[in-house]
Amino acid sequence: MATKQKMVIQGGRPLEGDVRVSGGKNASVALIPATLLSDAPCVIENLPDIEDVRALVDILRSLGAVVDYDPGVEMRVDPRPVNSFTVPYQKAQKLRASYYLMGALLGRCGHADVAYPGGCHIGLRPIDQHLKGFRALGCRVEDRAGMVNIEAGQLVGNVVNFDMATVGGTINVMLAAAKAEGQTMLINAAKEPHIVDLANFLNSMGATIRGAGTDIIRITGRPRLHGTVYQVIPDQIETGTLMIAAAATHGDVTVHDCIPTHMESLTAKLLEMGIMVTDGGDSIRVRSTGPHRSVKVTTQAYPGFPTDLQQPMCSLLTTTQGTSRVEETIFESRFRHVDELRRMGAKIDMFSDRVAMITGVPELYGAPVTVTDLRAGAALLVAGLMARGETEIYEPGYIDRGYEHIEEKLRSLGADIRRETCEE
Ligand code: EPZ
């Protein structure tokens, strides 16, 4: 008998208490490939124990690296035995960020043969800007049957002018440019916290990267980088998801070991809704003390409202007074959670593929729902926590890609949530 997993939530209970946020997924999936640029072992602390991290461990080992991984403690990568530059499809397709192996392998040995996972549920997600950057550094790039074959006799620094602020493009080209000959300038670079974290990580290995966090990043390539011991930054999106869940359940939660300045766009929106948010330096307290006002949300590149929080934010907006407008400007199909929220009683009209109008209802009610992508899973978690009655969330594996031990964290805040195995 085939089985599958589901999460079961008895909703309607306010989340209360203290919770610690884990290390950042989107920073971790950049730092781990970056260890290949070193000529000595690197240690990374505070990595989240999530599927994407485990998939990268498997890929690094398949390339020949020696990886000692103690989940929740540290990861030690010795890249010296690496003897391959090929990442086949069955390994690369386990996580989208496997394409960072292109920049890392180019920086390490001037050659990369990496399968590209292609589009996903939230959009086409092309990598033309990544490849444009590699070509600018002197690479020959061939895209054959889903395998991207990249060769550089010698990587040579250059100016790369991105057509849009791309997180992945900025990270991938930074990885290669760190070992290129001479200066590289990234113009219209993305400014997300995980880009700053990668620059800090590479600089701790002896790289020379200036301007990360602004839209112009200057990189002076180095022939060799050394080992380091480094702690990955807290997860901005998990912090935001926990903040939203606290507000949505009319609770009172303090999220610890986070970086409040990374959360400013969400904090501003919650305050606009009449929700109390207090900055505690390395913690944020969210308290809901009454009805929530409807608002307008438009996703933007950092420091704007993060697209990764758009989906859980939709859940919070389903029970405000009035009608909220949510516009997704980054990805072309990031509203697959809307159908599932409607099953729970939400009143959402899609004005276009990118604009949702959400009219507040008194409450959501529990229902069986299915996860279609990672942050849609976050949206359904929030909705299940706030709904009256029982919600069953199918395909919870998507959630495990980006949230470490999420049931334990929510249970510690008073949620009635468990995971069950059921028949297919
Ligand atoms: C990163 O994706 C994150 N993933 C995403 O988080 C996040 O939503 C996104 O940045 C925006 O913040 C990781 O960091 C692993 P982009 P990425 O390149 O790099 C277009 C999550 O839930 N574009 O900034 O793919 C692209 O289609 C995930 O944790 C091109 O056209 O995002 C999109 O419309 C989901 N050509 C826009 O730019 C390119 O070569 C922004 O994409 C690259 C991107």
PDB file of all heavy atoms in Angstrom, residues 191-229:
ATOM      1  N   LYS A 191      20.281  43.142  -3.760  1.00  0.00           N
ATOM      2  CA  LYS A 191      20.787  43.668  -2.479  1.00  0.00           C
ATOM      3  C   LYS A 191      20.324  42.838  -1.285  1.00  0.00           C
ATOM      4  O   LYS A 191      20.474  43.253  -0.134  1.00  0.00           O
ATOM      5  CB  LYS A 191      20.297  45.109  -2.310  1.00  0.00           C
ATOM      6  CG  LYS A 191      20.785  46.022  -3.411  1.00  0.00           C
ATOM      7  CD  LYS A 191      20.327  47.443  -3.214  1.00  0.00           C
ATOM      8  CE  LYS A 191      19.022  47.703  -3.926  1.00  0.00           C
ATOM      9  NZ  LYS A 191      18.699  49.145  -4.049  1.00  0.00           N
ATOM     10  N   GLU A 192      19.776  41.642  -1.535  1.00  0.00           N
ATOM     11  CA  GLU A 192      19.238  40.817  -0.442  1.00  0.00           C
ATOM     12  C   GLU A 192      20.290  40.537   0.629  1.00  0.00           C
ATOM     13  O   GLU A 192      21.487  40.456   0.327  1.00  0.00           O
ATOM     14  CB  GLU A 192      18.689  39.508  -1.019  1.00  0.00           C
ATOM     15  CG  GLU A 192      17.221  39.556  -1.458  1.00  0.00           C
ATOM     16  CD  GLU A 192      16.955  40.462  -2.671  1.00  0.00           C
ATOM     17  OE1 GLU A 192      17.924  40.962  -3.280  1.00  0.00           O
ATOM     18  OE2 GLU A 192      15.792  40.655  -3.001  1.00  0.00           O
ATOM     19  N   PRO A 193      19.841  40.287   1.876  1.00  0.00           N
ATOM     20  CA  PRO A 193      20.786  39.973   2.978  1.00  0.00           C
ATOM     21  C   PRO A 193      21.695  38.796   2.671  1.00  0.00           C
ATOM     22  O   PRO A 193      22.860  38.783   3.072  1.00  0.00           O
ATOM     23  CB  PRO A 193      19.853  39.660   4.152  1.00  0.00           C
ATOM     24  CG  PRO A 193      18.589  40.383   3.849  1.00  0.00           C
ATOM     25  CD  PRO A 193      18.453  40.379   2.358  1.00  0.00           C
ATOM     26  N   HIS A 194      21.200  37.807   1.894  1.00  0.00           N
ATOM     27  CA  HIS A 194      22.043  36.632   1.648  1.00  0.00           C
ATOM     28  C   HIS A 194      23.169  36.940   0.667  1.00  0.00           C
ATOM     29  O   HIS A 194      24.170  36.240   0.640  1.00  0.00           O
ATOM     30  CB  HIS A 194      21.254  35.403   1.196  1.00  0.00           C
ATOM     31  CG  HIS A 194      19.978  35.649   0.500  1.00  0.00           C
ATOM     32  ND1 HIS A 194      18.884  36.200   1.153  1.00  0.00           N
ATOM     33  CD2 HIS A 194      19.570  35.441  -0.779  1.00  0.00           C
ATOM     34  CE1 HIS A 194      17.875  36.277   0.296  1.00  0.00           C
ATOM     35  NE2 HIS A 194      18.261  35.842  -0.863  1.00  0.00           N
ATOM     36  N   ILE A 195      23.019  38.033  -0.093  1.00  0.00           N
ATOM     37  CA  ILE A 195      24.122  38.438  -0.974  1.00  0.00           C
ATOM     38  C   ILE A 195      25.235  39.064  -0.132  1.00  0.00           C
ATOM     39  O   ILE A 195      26.421  38.781  -0.313  1.00  0.00           O
ATOM     40  CB  ILE A 195      23.604  39.402  -2.049  1.00  0.00           C
ATOM     41  CG1 ILE A 195      22.801  38.607  -3.060  1.00  0.00           C
ATOM     42  CG2 ILE A 195      24.749  40.148  -2.720  1.00  0.00           C
ATOM     43  CD1 ILE A 195      21.963  39.371  -3.987  1.00  0.00           C
ATOM     44  N   VAL A 196      24.846  39.870   0.848  1.00  0.00           N
ATOM     45  CA  VAL A 196      25.830  40.451   1.771  1.00  0.00           C
ATOM     46  C   VAL A 196      26.516  39.325   2.548  1.00  0.00           C
ATOM     47  O   VAL A 196      27.735  39.332   2.738  1.00  0.00           O
ATOM     48  CB  VAL A 196      25.134  41.424   2.736  1.00  0.00           C
ATOM     49  CG1 VAL A 196      26.127  41.973   3.758  1.00  0.00           C
ATOM     50  CG2 VAL A 196      24.485  42.569   1.959  1.00  0.00           C
ATOM     51  N   ASP A 197      25.734  38.314   2.943  1.00  0.00           N
ATOM     52  CA  ASP A 197      26.307  37.211   3.724  1.00  0.00           C
ATOM     53  C   ASP A 197      27.345  36.458   2.887  1.00  0.00           C
ATOM     54  O   ASP A 197      28.424  36.115   3.388  1.00  0.00           O
ATOM     55  CB  ASP A 197      25.192  36.253   4.179  1.00  0.00           C
ATOM     56  CG  ASP A 197      25.563  35.529   5.475  1.00  0.00           C
ATOM     57  OD1 ASP A 197      26.309  36.130   6.286  1.00  0.00           O
ATOM     58  OD2 ASP A 197      25.152  34.383   5.674  1.00  0.00           O
ATOM     59  N   LEU A 198      27.034  36.232   1.613  1.00  0.00           N
ATOM     60  CA  LEU A 198      28.007  35.536   0.752  1.00  0.00           C
ATOM     61  C   LEU A 198      29.278  36.378   0.588  1.00  0.00           C
ATOM     62  O   LEU A 198      30.400  35.853   0.676  1.00  0.00           O
ATOM     63  CB  LEU A 198      27.399  35.228  -0.619  1.00  0.00           C
ATOM     64  CG  LEU A 198      28.381  34.602  -1.632  1.00  0.00           C
ATOM     65  CD1 LEU A 198      28.865  33.238  -1.152  1.00  0.00           C
ATOM     66  CD2 LEU A 198      27.755  34.492  -3.024  1.00  0.00           C
ATOM     67  N   ALA A 199      29.127  37.666   0.374  1.00  0.00           N
ATOM     68  CA  ALA A 199      30.304  38.541   0.217  1.00  0.00           C
ATOM     69  C   ALA A 199      31.153  38.496   1.485  1.00  0.00           C
ATOM     70  O   ALA A 199      32.388  38.368   1.424  1.00  0.00           O
ATOM     71  CB  ALA A 199      29.865  39.963  -0.098  1.00  0.00           C
ATOM     72  N   ASN A 200      30.497  38.544   2.649  1.00  0.00           N
ATOM     73  CA  ASN A 200      31.242  38.473   3.918  1.00  0.00           C
ATOM     74  C   ASN A 200      31.957  37.126   4.061  1.00  0.00           C
ATOM     75  O   ASN A 200      33.098  37.062   4.509  1.00  0.00           O
ATOM     76  CB  ASN A 200      30.291  38.682   5.102  1.00  0.00           C
ATOM     77  CG  ASN A 200      29.758  40.100   5.154  1.00  0.00           C
ATOM     78  OD1 ASN A 200      30.347  41.017   4.578  1.00  0.00           O
ATOM     79  ND2 ASN A 200      28.623  40.293   5.825  1.00  0.00           N
ATOM     80  N   PHE A 201      31.265  36.072   3.645  1.00  0.00           N
ATOM     81  CA  PHE A 201      31.864  34.724   3.709  1.00  0.00           C
ATOM     82  C   PHE A 201      33.111  34.664   2.818  1.00  0.00           C
ATOM     83  O   PHE A 201      34.201  34.278   3.271  1.00  0.00           O
ATOM     84  CB  PHE A 201      30.826  33.693   3.250  1.00  0.00           C
ATOM     85  CG  PHE A 201      31.310  32.259   3.262  1.00  0.00           C
ATOM     86  CD1 PHE A 201      31.612  31.608   4.457  1.00  0.00           C
ATOM     87  CD2 PHE A 201      31.478  31.564   2.077  1.00  0.00           C
ATOM     88  CE1 PHE A 201      32.042  30.287   4.475  1.00  0.00           C
ATOM     89  CE2 PHE A 201      31.907  30.237   2.075  1.00  0.00           C
ATOM     90  CZ  PHE A 201      32.196  29.606   3.278  1.00  0.00           C
ATOM     91  N   LEU A 202      32.970  35.119   1.570  1.00  0.00           N
ATOM     92  CA  LEU A 202      34.104  35.078   0.626  1.00  0.00           C
ATOM     93  C   LEU A 202      35.243  35.979   1.110  1.00  0.00           C
ATOM     94  O   LEU A 202      36.421  35.604   1.042  1.00  0.00           O
ATOM     95  CB  LEU A 202      33.651  35.488  -0.783  1.00  0.00           C
ATOM     96  CG  LEU A 202      32.719  34.500  -1.485  1.00  0.00           C
ATOM     97  CD1 LEU A 202      32.132  35.110  -2.755  1.00  0.00           C
ATOM     98  CD2 LEU A 202      33.456  33.194  -1.818  1.00  0.00           C
ATOM     99  N   ASN A 203      34.907  37.147   1.651  1.00  0.00           N
ATOM    100  CA  ASN A 203      35.964  38.038   2.174  1.00  0.00           C
ATOM    101  C   ASN A 203      36.689  37.382   3.350  1.00  0.00           C
ATOM    102  O   ASN A 203      37.897  37.553   3.519  1.00  0.00           O
ATOM    103  CB  ASN A 203      35.382  39.393   2.577  1.00  0.00           C
ATOM    104  CG  ASN A 203      35.034  40.267   1.365  1.00  0.00           C
ATOM    105  OD1 ASN A 203      35.558  40.046   0.273  1.00  0.00           O
ATOM    106  ND2 ASN A 203      34.135  41.219   1.548  1.00  0.00           N
ATOM    107  N   SER A 204      35.935  36.565   4.122  1.00  0.00           N
ATOM    108  CA  SER A 204      36.603  35.864   5.251  1.00  0.00           C
ATOM    109  C   SER A 204      37.541  34.777   4.721  1.00  0.00           C
ATOM    110  O   SER A 204      38.389  34.263   5.464  1.00  0.00           O
ATOM    111  CB  SER A 204      35.559  35.239   6.188  1.00  0.00           C
ATOM    112  OG  SER A 204      35.041  34.017   5.660  1.00  0.00           O
ATOM    113  N   MET A 205      37.410  34.450   3.435  1.00  0.00           N
ATOM    114  CA  MET A 205      38.300  33.462   2.808  1.00  0.00           C
ATOM    115  C   MET A 205      39.442  34.155   2.059  1.00  0.00           C
ATOM    116  O   MET A 205      40.218  33.519   1.351  1.00  0.00           O
ATOM    117  CB  MET A 205      37.495  32.587   1.829  1.00  0.00           C
ATOM    118  CG  MET A 205      36.465  31.685   2.494  1.00  0.00           C
ATOM    119  SD  MET A 205      35.222  31.094   1.316  1.00  0.00           S
ATOM    120  CE  MET A 205      36.192  30.086   0.242  1.00  0.00           C
ATOM    121  N   GLY A 206      39.485  35.498   2.150  1.00  0.00           N
ATOM    122  CA  GLY A 206      40.570  36.235   1.487  1.00  0.00           C
ATOM    123  C   GLY A 206      40.169  36.916   0.209  1.00  0.00           C
ATOM    124  O   GLY A 206      41.004  37.488  -0.498  1.00  0.00           O
ATOM    125  N   ALA A 207      38.862  36.881  -0.121  1.00  0.00           N
ATOM    126  CA  ALA A 207      38.395  37.560  -1.338  1.00  0.00           C
ATOM    127  C   ALA A 207      38.352  39.068  -1.078  1.00  0.00           C
ATOM    128  O   ALA A 207      38.467  39.518   0.079  1.00  0.00           O
ATOM    129  CB  ALA A 207      37.012  37.066  -1.731  1.00  0.00           C
ATOM    130  N   THR A 208      38.189  39.832  -2.161  1.00  0.00           N
ATOM    131  CA  THR A 208      38.069  41.293  -2.030  1.00  0.00           C
ATOM    132  C   THR A 208      36.805  41.733  -2.740  1.00  0.00           C
ATOM    133  O   THR A 208      36.789  41.918  -3.968  1.00  0.00           O
ATOM    134  CB  THR A 208      39.288  41.988  -2.669  1.00  0.00           C
ATOM    135  OG1 THR A 208      40.470  41.409  -2.122  1.00  0.00           O
ATOM    136  CG2 THR A 208      39.263  43.483  -2.364  1.00  0.00           C
ATOM    137  N   ILE A 209      35.690  41.813  -1.965  1.00  0.00           N
ATOM    138  CA  ILE A 209      34.376  42.155  -2.520  1.00  0.00           C
ATOM    139  C   ILE A 209      33.852  43.371  -1.771  1.00  0.00           C
ATOM    140  O   ILE A 209      33.767  43.363  -0.538  1.00  0.00           O
ATOM    141  CB  ILE A 209      33.412  40.958  -2.384  1.00  0.00           C
ATOM    142  CG1 ILE A 209      33.965  39.750  -3.138  1.00  0.00           C
ATOM    143  CG2 ILE A 209      32.019  41.340  -2.895  1.00  0.00           C
ATOM    144  CD1 ILE A 209      33.212  38.470  -2.932  1.00  0.00           C
ATOM    145  N   ARG A 210      33.531  44.426  -2.523  1.00  0.00           N
ATOM    146  CA  ARG A 210      33.063  45.661  -1.882  1.00  0.00           C
ATOM    147  C   ARG A 210      31.717  46.062  -2.474  1.00  0.00           C
ATOM    148  O   ARG A 210      31.476  45.887  -3.663  1.00  0.00           O
ATOM    149  CB  ARG A 210      34.093  46.786  -2.147  1.00  0.00           C
ATOM    150  CG  ARG A 210      35.504  46.489  -1.608  1.00  0.00           C
ATOM    151  CD  ARG A 210      35.552  46.519  -0.077  1.00  0.00           C
ATOM    152  NE  ARG A 210      36.881  46.189   0.436  1.00  0.00           N
ATOM    153  CZ  ARG A 210      37.232  44.937   0.819  1.00  0.00           C
ATOM    154  NH1 ARG A 210      36.367  43.935   0.658  1.00  0.00           N
ATOM    155  NH2 ARG A 210      38.435  44.691   1.306  1.00  0.00           N
ATOM    156  N   GLY A 211      30.838  46.606  -1.625  1.00  0.00           N
ATOM    157  CA  GLY A 211      29.579  47.153  -2.105  1.00  0.00           C
ATOM    158  C   GLY A 211      28.409  46.207  -2.060  1.00  0.00           C
ATOM    159  O   GLY A 211      27.300  46.553  -2.479  1.00  0.00           O
ATOM    160  N   ALA A 212      28.617  44.986  -1.516  1.00  0.00           N
ATOM    161  CA  ALA A 212      27.467  44.061  -1.415  1.00  0.00           C
ATOM    162  C   ALA A 212      26.389  44.701  -0.549  1.00  0.00           C
ATOM    163  O   ALA A 212      26.681  45.309   0.476  1.00  0.00           O
ATOM    164  CB  ALA A 212      27.919  42.740  -0.805  1.00  0.00           C
ATOM    165  N   GLY A 213      25.151  44.590  -0.990  1.00  0.00           N
ATOM    166  CA  GLY A 213      24.047  45.261  -0.300  1.00  0.00           C
ATOM    167  C   GLY A 213      23.663  46.546  -0.998  1.00  0.00           C
ATOM    168  O   GLY A 213      22.641  47.163  -0.699  1.00  0.00           O
ATOM    169  N   THR A 214      24.504  46.945  -1.981  1.00  0.00           N
ATOM    170  CA  THR A 214      24.132  48.098  -2.818  1.00  0.00           C
ATOM    171  C   THR A 214      23.955  47.554  -4.247  1.00  0.00           C
ATOM    172  O   THR A 214      24.195  46.375  -4.512  1.00  0.00           O
ATOM    173  CB  THR A 214      25.250  49.168  -2.853  1.00  0.00           C
ATOM    174  OG1 THR A 214      26.333  48.689  -3.677  1.00  0.00           O
ATOM    175  CG2 THR A 214      25.791  49.448  -1.458  1.00  0.00           C
ATOM    176  N   ASP A 215      23.602  48.417  -5.186  1.00  0.00           N
ATOM    177  CA  ASP A 215      23.356  47.894  -6.545  1.00  0.00           C
ATOM    178  C   ASP A 215      24.613  47.900  -7.409  1.00  0.00           C
ATOM    179  O   ASP A 215      24.555  47.566  -8.593  1.00  0.00           O
ATOM    180  CB  ASP A 215      22.215  48.641  -7.231  1.00  0.00           C
ATOM    181  CG  ASP A 215      22.427  50.150  -7.231  1.00  0.00           C
ATOM    182  OD1 ASP A 215      23.523  50.584  -6.812  1.00  0.00           O
ATOM    183  OD2 ASP A 215      21.495  50.870  -7.626  1.00  0.00           O
ATOM    184  N   ILE A 216      25.770  48.267  -6.811  1.00  0.00           N
ATOM    185  CA  ILE A 216      27.044  48.143  -7.533  1.00  0.00           C
ATOM    186  C   ILE A 216      28.046  47.403  -6.634  1.00  0.00           C
ATOM    187  O   ILE A 216      28.383  47.871  -5.538  1.00  0.00           O
ATOM    188  CB  ILE A 216      27.611  49.514  -7.946  1.00  0.00           C
ATOM    189  CG1 ILE A 216      26.663  50.176  -8.958  1.00  0.00           C
ATOM    190  CG2 ILE A 216      29.015  49.331  -8.555  1.00  0.00           C
ATOM    191  CD1 ILE A 216      27.165  51.480  -9.545  1.00  0.00           C
ATOM    192  N   ILE A 217      28.480  46.234  -7.081  1.00  0.00           N
ATOM    193  CA  ILE A 217      29.413  45.414  -6.303  1.00  0.00           C
ATOM    194  C   ILE A 217      30.730  45.311  -7.073  1.00  0.00           C
ATOM    195  O   ILE A 217      30.717  44.998  -8.268  1.00  0.00           O
ATOM    196  CB  ILE A 217      28.840  44.011  -6.061  1.00  0.00           C
ATOM    197  CG1 ILE A 217      27.516  44.093  -5.280  1.00  0.00           C
ATOM    198  CG2 ILE A 217      29.844  43.131  -5.304  1.00  0.00           C
ATOM    199  CD1 ILE A 217      26.831  42.765  -5.042  1.00  0.00           C
ATOM    200  N   ARG A 218      31.826  45.635  -6.412  1.00  0.00           N
ATOM    201  CA  ARG A 218      33.160  45.559  -7.021  1.00  0.00           C
ATOM    202  C   ARG A 218      33.929  44.377  -6.446  1.00  0.00           C
ATOM    203  O   ARG A 218      34.036  44.245  -5.216  1.00  0.00           O
ATOM    204  CB  ARG A 218      33.939  46.862  -6.763  1.00  0.00           C
ATOM    205  CG  ARG A 218      33.442  48.052  -7.577  1.00  0.00           C
ATOM    206  CD  ARG A 218      34.219  49.327  -7.240  1.00  0.00           C
ATOM    207  NE  ARG A 218      33.820  50.434  -8.118  1.00  0.00           N
ATOM    208  CZ  ARG A 218      32.684  51.123  -7.996  1.00  0.00           C
ATOM    209  NH1 ARG A 218      31.826  50.785  -7.016  1.00  0.00           N
ATOM    210  NH2 ARG A 218      32.381  52.094  -8.825  1.00  0.00           N
ATOM    211  N   ILE A 219      34.444  43.538  -7.350  1.00  0.00           N
ATOM    212  CA  ILE A 219      35.144  42.318  -6.939  1.00  0.00           C
ATOM    213  C   ILE A 219      36.538  42.318  -7.542  1.00  0.00           C
ATOM    214  O   ILE A 219      36.681  42.450  -8.774  1.00  0.00           O
ATOM    215  CB  ILE A 219      34.368  41.076  -7.430  1.00  0.00           C
ATOM    216  CG1 ILE A 219      32.930  41.092  -6.894  1.00  0.00           C
ATOM    217  CG2 ILE A 219      35.099  39.782  -7.056  1.00  0.00           C
ATOM    218  CD1 ILE A 219      31.965  40.224  -7.674  1.00  0.00           C
ATOM    219  N   THR A 220      37.572  42.195  -6.704  1.00  0.00           N
ATOM    220  CA  THR A 220      38.938  42.038  -7.221  1.00  0.00           C
ATOM    221  C   THR A 220      39.291  40.568  -7.095  1.00  0.00           C
ATOM    222  O   THR A 220      39.378  40.047  -5.971  1.00  0.00           O
ATOM    223  CB  THR A 220      39.934  42.894  -6.406  1.00  0.00           C
ATOM    224  OG1 THR A 220      39.473  44.246  -6.438  1.00  0.00           O
ATOM    225  CG2 THR A 220      41.336  42.788  -6.984  1.00  0.00           C
ATOM    226  N   GLY A 221      39.419  39.884  -8.213  1.00  0.00           N
ATOM    227  CA  GLY A 221      39.670  38.445  -8.185  1.00  0.00           C
ATOM    228  C   GLY A 221      40.978  38.093  -7.497  1.00  0.00           C
ATOM    229  O   GLY A 221      41.931  38.875  -7.526  1.00  0.00           O
ATOM    230  N   ARG A 222      41.001  36.937  -6.844  1.00  0.00           N
ATOM    231  CA  ARG A 222      42.199  36.436  -6.166  1.00  0.00           C
ATOM    232  C   ARG A 222      42.536  35.053  -6.724  1.00  0.00           C
ATOM    233  O   ARG A 222      41.618  34.242  -6.944  1.00  0.00           O
ATOM    234  CB  ARG A 222      41.941  36.314  -4.665  1.00  0.00           C
ATOM    235  CG  ARG A 222      41.660  37.657  -3.976  1.00  0.00           C
ATOM    236  CD  ARG A 222      42.928  38.464  -3.793  1.00  0.00           C
ATOM    237  NE  ARG A 222      42.679  39.809  -3.276  1.00  0.00           N
ATOM    238  CZ  ARG A 222      43.198  40.912  -3.818  1.00  0.00           C
ATOM    239  NH1 ARG A 222      43.956  40.819  -4.905  1.00  0.00           N
ATOM    240  NH2 ARG A 222      42.948  42.107  -3.312  1.00  0.00           N
ATOM    241  N   PRO A 223      43.805  34.730  -6.943  1.00  0.00           N
ATOM    242  CA  PRO A 223      44.146  33.397  -7.469  1.00  0.00           C
ATOM    243  C   PRO A 223      43.853  32.281  -6.476  1.00  0.00           C
ATOM    244  O   PRO A 223      43.527  31.163  -6.864  1.00  0.00           O
ATOM    245  CB  PRO A 223      45.643  33.510  -7.762  1.00  0.00           C
ATOM    246  CG  PRO A 223      46.142  34.679  -6.964  1.00  0.00           C
ATOM    247  CD  PRO A 223      44.985  35.600  -6.772  1.00  0.00           C
ATOM    248  N   ARG A 224      43.952  32.585  -5.174  1.00  0.00           N
ATOM    249  CA  ARG A 224      43.699  31.540  -4.183  1.00  0.00           C
ATOM    250  C   ARG A 224      42.874  32.106  -3.014  1.00  0.00           C
ATOM    251  O   ARG A 224      43.041  33.262  -2.638  1.00  0.00           O
ATOM    252  CB  ARG A 224      45.045  31.006  -3.629  1.00  0.00           C
ATOM    253  CG  ARG A 224      46.002  30.537  -4.719  1.00  0.00           C
ATOM    254  CD  ARG A 224      47.366  30.133  -4.132  1.00  0.00           C
ATOM    255  NE  ARG A 224      47.237  28.902  -3.313  1.00  0.00           N
ATOM    256  CZ  ARG A 224      47.159  27.683  -3.856  1.00  0.00           C
ATOM    257  NH1 ARG A 224      47.186  27.546  -5.152  1.00  0.00           N
ATOM    258  NH2 ARG A 224      47.034  26.629  -3.099  1.00  0.00           N
ATOM    259  N   LEU A 225      41.993  31.328  -2.488  1.00  0.00           N
ATOM    260  CA  LEU A 225      41.246  31.696  -1.280  1.00  0.00           C
ATOM    261  C   LEU A 225      41.520  30.639  -0.218  1.00  0.00           C
ATOM    262  O   LEU A 225      41.700  29.459  -0.544  1.00  0.00           O
ATOM    263  CB  LEU A 225      39.749  31.781  -1.586  1.00  0.00           C
ATOM    264  CG  LEU A 225      39.328  32.849  -2.607  1.00  0.00           C
ATOM    265  CD1 LEU A 225      37.813  32.817  -2.813  1.00  0.00           C
ATOM    266  CD2 LEU A 225      39.778  34.237  -2.174  1.00  0.00           C
ATOM    267  N   HIS A 226      41.533  31.053   1.034  1.00  0.00           N
ATOM    268  CA  HIS A 226      41.870  30.108   2.116  1.00  0.00           C
ATOM    269  C   HIS A 226      40.612  29.693   2.880  1.00  0.00           C
ATOM    270  O   HIS A 226      39.501  30.176   2.613  1.00  0.00           O
ATOM    271  CB  HIS A 226      42.893  30.757   3.063  1.00  0.00           C
ATOM    272  CG  HIS A 226      42.473  32.086   3.612  1.00  0.00           C
ATOM    273  ND1 HIS A 226      41.460  32.244   4.542  1.00  0.00           N
ATOM    274  CD2 HIS A 226      42.917  33.348   3.336  1.00  0.00           C
ATOM    275  CE1 HIS A 226      41.324  33.525   4.837  1.00  0.00           C
ATOM    276  NE2 HIS A 226      42.176  34.230   4.104  1.00  0.00           N
ATOM    277  N   GLY A 227      40.770  28.810   3.801  1.00  0.00           N
ATOM    278  CA  GLY A 227      39.657  28.291   4.609  1.00  0.00           C
ATOM    279  C   GLY A 227      39.124  29.352   5.566  1.00  0.00           C
ATOM    280  O   GLY A 227      39.699  30.429   5.711  1.00  0.00           O
ATOM    281  N   THR A 228      37.999  29.034   6.219  1.00  0.00           N
ATOM    282  CA  THR A 228      37.386  29.981   7.147  1.00  0.00           C
ATOM    283  C   THR A 228      36.442  29.247   8.091  1.00  0.00           C
ATOM    284  O   THR A 228      36.129  28.073   7.857  1.00  0.00           O
ATOM    285  CB  THR A 228      36.597  31.070   6.381  1.00  0.00           C
ATOM    286  OG1 THR A 228      36.122  32.064   7.302  1.00  0.00           O
ATOM    287  CG2 THR A 228      35.386  30.456   5.669  1.00  0.00           C
ATOM    288  N   VAL A 229      36.056  29.895   9.153  1.00  0.00           N
ATOM    289  CA  VAL A 229      34.968  29.408  10.023  1.00  0.00           C
ATOM    290  C   VAL A 229      33.939  30.531  10.045  1.00  0.00           C
ATOM    291  O   VAL A 229      34.289  31.693  10.316  1.00  0.00           O
ATOM    292  CB  VAL A 229      35.461  29.109  11.452  1.00  0.00           C
ATOM    293  CG1 VAL A 229      34.294  28.662  12.334  1.00  0.00           C
ATOM    294  CG2 VAL A 229      36.553  28.039  11.405  1.00  0.00           C
TER     295      VAL A 229
END
